[in-house]
Amino acid sequence: MRFDIISVLPGLLESPFAHSILQRAQKKGIAEIHVHNLRDYATNKHKSVDDYPYGGGSGMVMMIEPFALCIEKLKAEREYDEVIFMTPDGETLNQNIANQLSVKGNIIILCGHYKGIDQRVRDLYVTREMSIGDYVLSGGELPAAVLVDSVVRLIPGVLSDETSALSDSFQGDLLDAPVYTRPADWNGHKVPDILLSGNTPEIEKWRFEQALERTKTRRPDLLNE
Ligand code: ADE
């Protein structure tokens, strides 16, 4: 799977992709993540990528031309399944969408800044608009990193224990059961006996009950879906 991320702040995206699971996925050749500096596609002498909004108002608007040049160049090199624009007015990312995206081939992600991007970029190029939640961030880079992380870890072969993504919170519409590790007794705070029993069917039953209870109290909305 390949991601091409278009951004005015490519440096913001370096660290999230250079560690842990995302780094491993790239080293194994399972995921390719390419970050493109939008400013490299600016055409005027000031290398500007934004301009004043038509009709007035506050804030700058990102221009269509640099996006168009970068997207057209990428599309001439390969086919893309989606061109995703990260925006707080998009569809809210959830585990179901991450699952859908994890079986795609090539995806372009556009990161916005300032007041927004020229509507024509959205009309002409964008196939899907995604938000990571009902709050506003200063740009689309952190949301893009969140999206890529949520998708890449689902690609088969990325997580060492392939079943571990399957038991994640949300994956089966339930939150995770509590987990414990050594010591079994920490200053009198004990790990539940059942987990030390070695009785696997009973442990599975306990985990399911705990997951259900957690979901009921914390996220009853998940049970209604
Ligand atoms: N850009 C700014 N805020 C955002 C959000 N919540 N989700 C996606 N992109 C954004």
Side-chain angles (χ1 to χ4, degrees):
M1 181 163 197
R2 175 179 172 123
F3 291 93
D4 286 281
I5 306 177
I6 306 176
S7 159
V8 276
L9 293 172
L12 248 184
L13 288 163
E14 271 164 31
S15 176
F17 301 144
H19 297 278
S20 183
I21 288 165
L22 290 186
Q23 184 193 43
R24 181 147 38 94
Q26 292 173 89
K27 282 196 174 147
K28 284 186 179 174
I30 300 171
E32 273 183 53
I33 304 168
H34 301 268
V35 181
H36 306 273
N37 190 343
L38 186 66
R39 216 167 282 284
D40 294 342
Y41 297 85
T43 51
N44 63 20
K45 67 172 187 284
H46 300 110
K47 291 268 164 207
S48 44
V49 292
D50 61 332
D51 207 336
Y52 294 98
Y54 275 121
S58 65
M60 302 291 272
V61 176
M62 294 178 83
M63 301 152 73
I64 185 168
E65 197 164 28
F67 277 115
L69 288 175
C70 186
I71 294 168
E72 296 287 358
K73 175 177 173 280
L74 291 170
K75 282 188 166 176
E77 291 164 359
R78 67 194 64 74
E79 294 209 352
Y80 285 90
D81 300 296
E82 300 275 9
V83 178
I84 300 176
F85 174 46
M86 304 310 300
T87 172
D89 55 13
E91 185 186 358
T92 309
L93 177 65
N94 59 30
Q95 195 62 30
N96 195 19
I97 296 171
N99 280 325
Q100 285 171 27
L101 294 177
S102 72
V103 297
K104 305 265 182 190
N106 302 317
I107 293 180
I108 292 176
I109 303 179
L110 311 182
C111 305
H113 266 265
Y114 319 114
K115 192 72 202 150
I117 68 177
D118 190 306
Q119 181 59 35
R120 291 168 293 184
V121 178
R122 298 166 79 160
D123 295 343
L124 295 174
Y125 294 109
V126 170
T127 59
R128 196 158 188 174
E129 304 199 328
M130 301 285 338
S131 164
I132 62 160
D134 288 343
Y135 42 86
V136 178
L137 298 167
S138 356
E141 283 76 11
L142 298 178
V146 168
L147 176 70
V148 171
D149 187 307
S150 74
V151 172
V152 168
R153 59 194 299 286
L154 296 173
I155 305 172
V158 169
L159 296 185
S160 41
D161 175 3
E162 287 224 10
T163 60
S164 65
L166 292 176
S167 66
D168 280 347
S169 280
F170 294 109
Q171 200 62 271
D173 295 333
L174 287 186
L175 302 180
D176 265 356
V179 294
Y180 299 86
T181 188
R182 285 184 285 187
D185 183 337
W186 189 74
N187 296 344
H189 300 279
K190 295 200 172 83
V191 171
D193 286 337
I194 179 75
L195 295 177
L196 310 175
S197 69
N199 185 338
T200 311
E202 282 302 311
I203 291 172
E204 287 307 310
K205 187 166 158 257
W206 178 86
R207 286 196 170 134
F208 175 74
E209 286 163 2
Q210 292 287 318
L212 193 61
E213 195 48 43
R214 237 183 209 195
T215 312
K216 269 189 200 158
T217 50
R218 296 179 184 208
R219 294 293 307 275
D221 57 301
L222 293 176
L223 297 171
N224 302 331
E225 276 170 12

